[in-house]
Structure formats: structure tokens, C-alpha cells
Amino acid sequence: MSNPNQPRVRFAPSPTGFLHVGGARTALFNWLYARSQGGVFVLRIEDTDQERSTEESYAAILRGMEWLGLDWDEGPGVGGDFGPYLQSERLDIYREHLEQLAAGGHVYKCFCSAGDLEAREKAVRDAGCNWEGYDGHCRDLTEAQTTELEGQGKPFAWRLKTPTEGTTFWYDIIVDKREFQNEVLVDRVVFKADGFPTYQFAVVVDDHTMGITHVLRGDDHVSNTPFQLLIYQALGWKPPKFGHMPMILGQDKKRLSKRHGATSVEEFQNLGILPAAMLNYLALLGWSPGGSGDEVMTAEAIIKKFSLKKVNSSPAAFDYDKLNHINSEHIKRLSADERLDLAKPIIAERGWVLDPEWLIHEVDTTDAYLARVLGTLGNRFSSLITLPEQIGFFFTDDHFVDQESWDEHVATDEARPLMIALADAIEADLDTAAPQEAGAFEEVIRSTAEKLGVKAGQIIHPCRVALSGQSRSAGIFEVMELMGAPRTVRRLRAAAAS
RNA sequence: GUCCCCAUCGUCUAGUGGUUAGGACACCGCCCUUUCACGGCGGCAACACGGGUUCGAUCCCCGUUGGGGAUGCCA
């Protein structure tokens, strides 16, 4: 169980919003690393910000993770030996370690209020100088001064005493050596006046006490790392390995935001993106299987190939086109049964069911009918979003109609007589009180075309639009079979009269 | 402003001290087809710039430019 070489990684979101693509990618890479190394993937919730943390966000993040299939070995809902996994439930642990820091003289009390800080920053800037963060105002307060301020009931935070010379560095898994001059590091707050630890402190205590071996996080955390390293040092702990992954940007290479379109994982779900496709695409952002291998992969295949060494160090732009392509590839690879499962809720939602009066050959249940309908789609079924449009006409007369195609192919003086002739021929040549197969319709169409001295295509095209409302559809004979002769005739006559 | 990071087709990327710099998405053309899609074939398109190092740099070093991040008692 406790294999010392077993990597332990974590995803540690704060519940202050939905699970966005950046977070999802971070979670994914941690998960991939754990799964590919036989390691443990921990989910920890960083809710030390009392103001911004919400139950809804917490739930949304868990939903997003579950939707993507990123299962965690320890964390909310599943427990584990290193809990609790919510920082708000670990306050005692943080206080205990704060005392350790205080006893070692690594931290000091800071009585500066937000207003004090603002005023001093303004003064510095007004003087034309750079404000380089907290100025160490309370760092050298005497014992007496501290006692007096405390006696006045002034609230205080704890700050870490950071070195003013030398450097702090680490070897990043992704970007090699990273080094910071200690003089640019400021004495950041480690424990807030509200009695909660800051992220900087909690993350260190948790990663250490939870036995995390590799911290894989977004590149936006790079500048936090040296400060955190100093906390590890002050506590006398060996830090984990760090890997900072490149950011995900919008198509314009600017920070990914709302105006780029969907950014939360759940929005993609509503956009008809399959979780497997989302996972696949996210994996391709900053990582590649190498060479010219197939990019369309299942999670299992990605796990098999995944390696942190292949993770890129440059930021990547999020490309909706490519996501859609990966998505359609995943849909195309689905089995007939899987497609059926995907489509069922879509028609159920609209109340679309099989009507026995349609007289469909060898079909007597809605599921069987839907299966046949999906079968006609073949590879045209590449998006969950367009599906209702694509198959609606099989179920209802109140279906999507592409007006442009209708005007061009149906509502014309050339098309009307052809559609009427075909309707007449169907009624004359076929038993419209019985189900008919595609071949039977084809025969009627071809003989009608011959009789009228036109090409079959001249009849087929208006019929396609008349029946489906669109100029693209499955093979028209098959469409007729699945519409049933009565409906076919009815729609043709209605179209001719339009 | 200061600190840190990044830089191969429009985008995601592969790659090497000597290659016709490869693949994928998107785009364009052709073929297939009753339409559309799928598929097949082909095309367009990149080593940011300037200095070095070297017999030779896309690759190594420095600088410039561009982009990103950080600069919170947010995480």
C-alpha cells in the first residue's frame, strides 16, 4: 500500500467558480500522471477564502471532474488516510504549524491594515518609486511595541520573515531550473487576521502532510513557488517536485476569458461535446503523443503514452475548431448502441416517439425506429447539437426547414408537377396501407422519371427538401422507407401546394 | 514600473548542429455520390528579428521585438 516510490499528486481547486478549462487541464495532467505511474490522485478543496468560496462552486467542480471521468483516489466523497480534504476543516493543523513557525522565529505579527498599506504604497508611487510589495513595516517591531498594539486590540496577521539576499531555486519538471533573487521576495502573509491561513501557507502544509510528491500546477503559480519553498525550509521539510504547466490562452493568444466563448467544462457539455473528446482535446494542449501518431485517443491510450517529459513549456491557444473535430471523431467511433444512448434523451426531451400509423417496415418501437434513423445518418452524425435538426423530420411535421433550400428546390414551377407525379405514382404502384422498403420507392422514382423524360436526380432533389426540409440528408429512398408511404405522399402533396 | 517565463505553418504540434522542416485542425481544389457528409487524392502555409559560436545553425549563447504570468490578509 505505502510504496515509497508511488507518486502522489493532487488537484486543489478553490470553490470560487465553475471548473474552467485551465483547471480541468491541470486536473487532467495530474490524473494522467497518477494513472500512468500507478500513483495516487488526490482531490483537495482550497476553501480558505471565506468570502468567495461557495457550495455551488464546490458542487460544480465535482460535477465537472466526474463528467470528464477524472476520478480521485482520495478526497471529498471517497475519504482517504490524509483527510480532511477540505482546507476549512484543517484549521487546527495549520495553527499547529503556525506555532512551530512562531517558535522558530520565522514569522512575525503584522498590524498593518489594508488602509495603512494602501497609503504607504501610494506615497511610494507618488514619489516616483516602485512599490515592490509589503515593505517590512512590522518586521522589526520590538516585543514591547507588539504587546502594546495587541493590547489595543489591533487585529494582526502573521508574515513570513524572508531572506534579503541569496537566491531560491528549484528544478522544474517542465521548465528546468527556475531561480529567484531573495531580495525580490516579500514577507507575505501566512496567516490572515480572520484566523485562516493564506493559500501560500495552507498549500505547503497540506502538500507536505498529505505526502504529495509532485506538484503539477499552472504556470501562474511560478512566482509563488519560491515563497512556498521558504516555508518548507522554515518548517524543516523537504519540498516536493514542482512542475509548472503552460497556460491555456484564447484563440487570439490573450488570456482565455468569457469573450472567447465557452470556458467552463459544463458549457462544453451543453455544446454537445463528449467528455472523452474534451479530455482528448485538453490533453493535446501542451502535450502531444509525439511524431505523427493518431491524435484521436481514448483516455486509456493517453494514459499509456503520457509523459511529463513531453509536456510543452509554451502556452497554447484554445481552438474550438479542433475541439469540434476531435469531438466528431469520437462520435464517429461510437457503436450503434452508444449513439442510440446519446440520442434517446434528445428525442425524449422533445416528446418524439414512433407513431404506428407511419407504417415503417420491420419497426415497432421508438428505440428501434430511432436506431434505424441514426443508421441513415452514418457519419453525418457528428454533433449532438445538430442532431435534432438532422432527424426531426422523421418524427414531426413541425420540423426544421431550411428556407433557402425550400425556395430554391421545392417552391418552383418545375418542382411542383414532379412531386405531384411522384405522389400519384406511389399511390398507384405501391400499397400505401402497408410498410414499404427503400427499393420499392426507388423503383417508383426511377420509372416516374423515365415516364416524364427527366433525370432521377431532378425528382430526387426537390423530394429531399420537401420531405426533410433540408438539402442534405441520408439517401432519399431510405428516408422514404422510414417516413412511410402515407407520410411521404402527404408531404409531397403539401410541398407541391406551397 | 519591477521580477519571471515563452517564441516552428492562422491554430495545436513533431523534429534535428547538415532534413525536400513532418503530422493534425482550419482553408482551397479534384475524385466519389441522387444531395450533404464521410472517404480518397492534391494544394496553400512556419523555424519572429539582429548579432554571435561553428565548416555549417530552426536547433547552442546574447540582445531586440512580441506574447503571457506574477507583483493581494485571492487561490
Side-chain angles (χ1 to χ4, degrees), chain A residues 197-213:
Chain A
T198 59
Y199 154 76
Q200 304 288 161
F201 186 57
V203 76
V204 167
V205 171
D206 288 343
D207 283 339
H208 181 262
T209 56
M210 290 182 179
I212 299 303
T213 58

PDB file of all heavy atoms in Angstrom, chain A residues 197-213:
ATOM      1  N   PRO A 197      -5.522  30.462   7.368  1.00  0.00           N
ATOM      2  CA  PRO A 197      -4.213  30.526   6.707  1.00  0.00           C
ATOM      3  C   PRO A 197      -4.411  31.094   5.315  1.00  0.00           C
ATOM      4  O   PRO A 197      -5.514  31.040   4.782  1.00  0.00           O
ATOM      5  CB  PRO A 197      -3.802  29.058   6.619  1.00  0.00           C
ATOM      6  CG  PRO A 197      -5.103  28.321   6.525  1.00  0.00           C
ATOM      7  CD  PRO A 197      -6.055  29.085   7.405  1.00  0.00           C
ATOM      8  N   THR A 198      -3.359  31.632   4.746  1.00  0.00           N
ATOM      9  CA  THR A 198      -3.466  32.035   3.341  1.00  0.00           C
ATOM     10  C   THR A 198      -3.205  30.798   2.504  1.00  0.00           C
ATOM     11  O   THR A 198      -2.710  29.777   3.001  1.00  0.00           O
ATOM     12  CB  THR A 198      -2.401  33.086   2.961  1.00  0.00           C
ATOM     13  OG1 THR A 198      -1.105  32.534   3.205  1.00  0.00           O
ATOM     14  CG2 THR A 198      -2.580  34.361   3.761  1.00  0.00           C
ATOM     15  N   TYR A 199      -3.501  30.933   1.253  1.00  0.00           N
ATOM     16  CA  TYR A 199      -3.247  29.847   0.305  1.00  0.00           C
ATOM     17  C   TYR A 199      -1.792  29.411   0.407  1.00  0.00           C
ATOM     18  O   TYR A 199      -1.484  28.221   0.440  1.00  0.00           O
ATOM     19  CB  TYR A 199      -3.575  30.331  -1.110  1.00  0.00           C
ATOM     20  CG  TYR A 199      -2.814  29.600  -2.174  1.00  0.00           C
ATOM     21  CD1 TYR A 199      -3.173  28.306  -2.546  1.00  0.00           C
ATOM     22  CD2 TYR A 199      -1.707  30.172  -2.797  1.00  0.00           C
ATOM     23  CE1 TYR A 199      -2.456  27.608  -3.501  1.00  0.00           C
ATOM     24  CE2 TYR A 199      -0.986  29.485  -3.758  1.00  0.00           C
ATOM     25  CZ  TYR A 199      -1.358  28.210  -4.095  1.00  0.00           C
ATOM     26  OH  TYR A 199      -0.640  27.525  -5.031  1.00  0.00           O
ATOM     27  N   GLN A 200      -0.904  30.373   0.439  1.00  0.00           N
ATOM     28  CA  GLN A 200       0.532  30.101   0.434  1.00  0.00           C
ATOM     29  C   GLN A 200       0.950  29.146   1.547  1.00  0.00           C
ATOM     30  O   GLN A 200       1.795  28.279   1.345  1.00  0.00           O
ATOM     31  CB  GLN A 200       1.311  31.412   0.599  1.00  0.00           C
ATOM     32  CG  GLN A 200       1.007  32.478  -0.412  1.00  0.00           C
ATOM     33  CD  GLN A 200       1.554  32.172  -1.803  1.00  0.00           C
ATOM     34  OE1 GLN A 200       1.127  32.733  -2.777  1.00  0.00           O
ATOM     35  NE2 GLN A 200       2.514  31.253  -1.884  1.00  0.00           N
ATOM     36  N   PHE A 201       0.335  29.341   2.688  1.00  0.00           N
ATOM     37  CA  PHE A 201       0.699  28.528   3.847  1.00  0.00           C
ATOM     38  C   PHE A 201      -0.036  27.184   3.824  1.00  0.00           C
ATOM     39  O   PHE A 201       0.559  26.123   4.008  1.00  0.00           O
ATOM     40  CB  PHE A 201       0.379  29.288   5.132  1.00  0.00           C
ATOM     41  CG  PHE A 201       0.842  28.601   6.372  1.00  0.00           C
ATOM     42  CD1 PHE A 201       2.187  28.268   6.535  1.00  0.00           C
ATOM     43  CD2 PHE A 201      -0.045  28.275   7.390  1.00  0.00           C
ATOM     44  CE1 PHE A 201       2.632  27.631   7.695  1.00  0.00           C
ATOM     45  CE2 PHE A 201       0.394  27.638   8.545  1.00  0.00           C
ATOM     46  CZ  PHE A 201       1.734  27.315   8.695  1.00  0.00           C
ATOM     47  N   ALA A 202      -1.333  27.255   3.566  1.00  0.00           N
ATOM     48  CA  ALA A 202      -2.138  26.039   3.578  1.00  0.00           C
ATOM     49  C   ALA A 202      -1.643  25.036   2.543  1.00  0.00           C
ATOM     50  O   ALA A 202      -1.583  23.827   2.801  1.00  0.00           O
ATOM     51  CB  ALA A 202      -3.601  26.388   3.321  1.00  0.00           C
ATOM     52  N   VAL A 203      -1.264  25.553   1.400  1.00  0.00           N
ATOM     53  CA  VAL A 203      -0.857  24.651   0.330  1.00  0.00           C
ATOM     54  C   VAL A 203       0.405  23.876   0.720  1.00  0.00           C
ATOM     55  O   VAL A 203       0.549  22.689   0.439  1.00  0.00           O
ATOM     56  CB  VAL A 203      -0.668  25.434  -0.997  1.00  0.00           C
ATOM     57  CG1 VAL A 203       0.620  26.231  -1.002  1.00  0.00           C
ATOM     58  CG2 VAL A 203      -0.699  24.482  -2.187  1.00  0.00           C
ATOM     59  N   VAL A 204       1.303  24.561   1.397  1.00  0.00           N
ATOM     60  CA  VAL A 204       2.538  23.909   1.815  1.00  0.00           C
ATOM     61  C   VAL A 204       2.263  22.852   2.888  1.00  0.00           C
ATOM     62  O   VAL A 204       2.709  21.710   2.797  1.00  0.00           O
ATOM     63  CB  VAL A 204       3.553  24.948   2.332  1.00  0.00           C
ATOM     64  CG1 VAL A 204       4.714  24.263   3.056  1.00  0.00           C
ATOM     65  CG2 VAL A 204       4.065  25.810   1.189  1.00  0.00           C
ATOM     66  N   VAL A 205       1.514  23.268   3.887  1.00  0.00           N
ATOM     67  CA  VAL A 205       1.205  22.344   4.983  1.00  0.00           C
ATOM     68  C   VAL A 205       0.465  21.113   4.443  1.00  0.00           C
ATOM     69  O   VAL A 205       0.769  19.976   4.792  1.00  0.00           O
ATOM     70  CB  VAL A 205       0.368  23.059   6.066  1.00  0.00           C
ATOM     71  CG1 VAL A 205      -0.150  22.053   7.083  1.00  0.00           C
ATOM     72  CG2 VAL A 205       1.207  24.128   6.748  1.00  0.00           C
ATOM     73  N   ASP A 206      -0.501  21.370   3.571  1.00  0.00           N
ATOM     74  CA  ASP A 206      -1.284  20.253   3.044  1.00  0.00           C
ATOM     75  C   ASP A 206      -0.469  19.344   2.142  1.00  0.00           C
ATOM     76  O   ASP A 206      -0.525  18.125   2.251  1.00  0.00           O
ATOM     77  CB  ASP A 206      -2.502  20.775   2.274  1.00  0.00           C
ATOM     78  CG  ASP A 206      -3.546  21.339   3.217  1.00  0.00           C
ATOM     79  OD1 ASP A 206      -3.459  21.035   4.423  1.00  0.00           O
ATOM     80  OD2 ASP A 206      -4.430  22.065   2.744  1.00  0.00           O
ATOM     81  N   ASP A 207       0.267  19.932   1.225  1.00  0.00           N
ATOM     82  CA  ASP A 207       1.046  19.093   0.323  1.00  0.00           C
ATOM     83  C   ASP A 207       2.009  18.219   1.106  1.00  0.00           C
ATOM     84  O   ASP A 207       2.209  17.055   0.790  1.00  0.00           O
ATOM     85  CB  ASP A 207       1.802  19.955  -0.705  1.00  0.00           C
ATOM     86  CG  ASP A 207       0.870  20.461  -1.808  1.00  0.00           C
ATOM     87  OD1 ASP A 207      -0.203  19.855  -2.000  1.00  0.00           O
ATOM     88  OD2 ASP A 207       1.216  21.465  -2.460  1.00  0.00           O
ATOM     89  N   HIS A 208       2.578  18.794   2.143  1.00  0.00           N
ATOM     90  CA  HIS A 208       3.517  18.010   2.937  1.00  0.00           C
ATOM     91  C   HIS A 208       2.812  16.940   3.770  1.00  0.00           C
ATOM     92  O   HIS A 208       3.185  15.775   3.741  1.00  0.00           O
ATOM     93  CB  HIS A 208       4.352  18.902   3.852  1.00  0.00           C
ATOM     94  CG  HIS A 208       5.344  18.122   4.657  1.00  0.00           C
ATOM     95  ND1 HIS A 208       5.131  17.744   5.964  1.00  0.00           N
ATOM     96  CD2 HIS A 208       6.548  17.589   4.318  1.00  0.00           C
ATOM     97  CE1 HIS A 208       6.151  17.031   6.397  1.00  0.00           C
ATOM     98  NE2 HIS A 208       7.024  16.926   5.420  1.00  0.00           N
ATOM     99  N   THR A 209       1.785  17.368   4.482  1.00  0.00           N
ATOM    100  CA  THR A 209       1.122  16.393   5.363  1.00  0.00           C
ATOM    101  C   THR A 209       0.333  15.350   4.573  1.00  0.00           C
ATOM    102  O   THR A 209       0.029  14.285   5.087  1.00  0.00           O
ATOM    103  CB  THR A 209       0.179  17.095   6.367  1.00  0.00           C
ATOM    104  OG1 THR A 209      -0.759  17.882   5.642  1.00  0.00           O
ATOM    105  CG2 THR A 209       0.967  17.980   7.310  1.00  0.00           C
ATOM    106  N   MET A 210       0.024  15.656   3.352  1.00  0.00           N
ATOM    107  CA  MET A 210      -0.693  14.677   2.530  1.00  0.00           C
ATOM    108  C   MET A 210       0.268  13.829   1.701  1.00  0.00           C
ATOM    109  O   MET A 210      -0.142  13.020   0.872  1.00  0.00           O
ATOM    110  CB  MET A 210      -1.704  15.366   1.608  1.00  0.00           C
ATOM    111  CG  MET A 210      -2.894  15.957   2.353  1.00  0.00           C
ATOM    112  SD  MET A 210      -4.084  16.704   1.223  1.00  0.00           S
ATOM    113  CE  MET A 210      -5.328  17.263   2.388  1.00  0.00           C
ATOM    114  N   GLY A 211       1.546  14.067   1.918  1.00  0.00           N
ATOM    115  CA  GLY A 211       2.538  13.235   1.235  1.00  0.00           C
ATOM    116  C   GLY A 211       2.608  13.433  -0.267  1.00  0.00           C
ATOM    117  O   GLY A 211       2.973  12.519  -1.008  1.00  0.00           O
ATOM    118  N   ILE A 212       2.269  14.635  -0.714  1.00  0.00           N
ATOM    119  CA  ILE A 212       2.304  14.913  -2.155  1.00  0.00           C
ATOM    120  C   ILE A 212       3.760  14.907  -2.634  1.00  0.00           C
ATOM    121  O   ILE A 212       4.625  15.554  -2.043  1.00  0.00           O
ATOM    122  CB  ILE A 212       1.650  16.285  -2.451  1.00  0.00           C
ATOM    123  CG1 ILE A 212       0.186  16.289  -2.004  1.00  0.00           C
ATOM    124  CG2 ILE A 212       1.777  16.638  -3.928  1.00  0.00           C
ATOM    125  CD1 ILE A 212      -0.682  15.208  -2.628  1.00  0.00           C
ATOM    126  N   THR A 213       4.017  14.185  -3.703  1.00  0.00           N
ATOM    127  CA  THR A 213       5.386  14.075  -4.204  1.00  0.00           C
ATOM    128  C   THR A 213       5.660  14.996  -5.380  1.00  0.00           C
ATOM    129  O   THR A 213       6.787  15.416  -5.611  1.00  0.00           O
ATOM    130  CB  THR A 213       5.684  12.635  -4.656  1.00  0.00           C
ATOM    131  OG1 THR A 213       4.731  12.271  -5.672  1.00  0.00           O
ATOM    132  CG2 THR A 213       5.572  11.662  -3.485  1.00  0.00           C
TER     133      THR A 213
END
